[in-house]
Amino acid sequence: TVTIEAYVCPSIDLVVDVQAVSCTGDANGAAAVVINGGNDPYTVDWSTGAQTPEVEDLAPGDYDVTIVDAFNCAVSTTFSVGEPDPVSVQLNAQEDVSCPGGSNGSLTVAANGGTAPFSYDWSNGATGPQIEDLPTGIYSVTATDENGCQETLEATVEEVPDTEAPTLVVEAVSIELDGNGSAAITPS
């Protein structure tokens, strides 16, 4: 009589520690496996073809990893490498210059997406989400998030067009009529 005992694989717990990409469109994500249970040594097979406990330079998307222990017991899992929303900048408020040659324009922007907080660098050297006391001209602002992701916006400060005709107020007027039907008006 031959007795055959089946080997029952011990439980293998597999955790994947995932690092998302820093900016939209980058391929700098990473993943590392943490293995508990099973029997050492382990082989690691990533869907990227790598066979190391850690992989780098991952683009956003779904990946698989399989761990096989010394007794051919295996466990697999799927994980996702994420990415932040793209950084975007919107013009929230714009004040044009109120009179020719003036410098009372202003621009206010707000950034979103990416990873807060944001810094703002303007083409005139100013920083922050708002610039004031501007003459007419084209200004650009670059918003940078915590990961160094950037987006640039350009805005133009113009002069407010003069829509009213000038008004002349005269308090005293002399009118002289000549014999030919012509009149001369003289403010006094």
Side-chain angles (χ1 to χ4, degrees):
T1 304
V2 176
T3 304
I4 300 175
E5 291 187 28
Y7 179 75
V8 177
C9 289
S11 174
I12 301 174
D13 293 322
L14 172 60
V15 176
V16 181
D17 182 23
V18 180
Q19 176 185 328
V21 299
S22 56
C23 298
T24 302
D26 282 353
N28 60 356
V33 293
V34 178
I35 305 165
N36 290 310
N39 295 290
D40 204 11
Y42 304 98
T43 59
V44 181
D45 288 311
W46 299 91
S47 55
T48 63
Q51 295 185 323
T52 58
E54 297 178 5
V55 288
E56 296 178 338
D57 302 325
L58 298 176
D62 295 332
Y63 297 88
D64 299 313
V65 62
T66 300
I67 305 299
V68 180
D69 78 355
F71 293 105
N72 244 3
C73 298
V75 64
S76 296
T77 191
T78 299
F79 64 96
S80 295
V81 173
E83 68 182 326
D85 290 334
V87 174
S88 64
V89 185
Q90 294 93 324
L91 182 62
N92 281 358
Q94 175 179 350
E95 292 287 329
D96 287 328
V97 174
S98 61
C99 55
S103 293
N104 64 339
S106 67
L107 298 168
T108 303
V109 297
N112 57 43
T115 306
F118 297 96
S119 63
Y120 301 89
D121 295 304
W122 292 86
S123 55
N124 67 349
T127 59
Q130 181 177 20
I131 54 175
E132 299 176 321
D133 302 323
L134 301 175
T136 60
I138 299 172
Y139 298 87
S140 64
V141 60
T142 299
T144 305
D145 78 353
E146 183 176 66
N147 292 334
C149 310
Q150 297 182 329
E151 181 66 22
T152 299
L153 174 76
E154 197 171 84
T156 302
V157 173
E158 299 176 343
E159 285 182 4
V160 174
D162 190 0
T163 58
E164 293 185 24
T167 303
L168 176 63
V169 177
V170 179
E171 294 189 12
V173 177
S174 298
I175 300 177
E176 293 180 28
L177 298 173
D178 66 12
N180 297 329
S182 297
I185 302 173
T186 309
S188 52

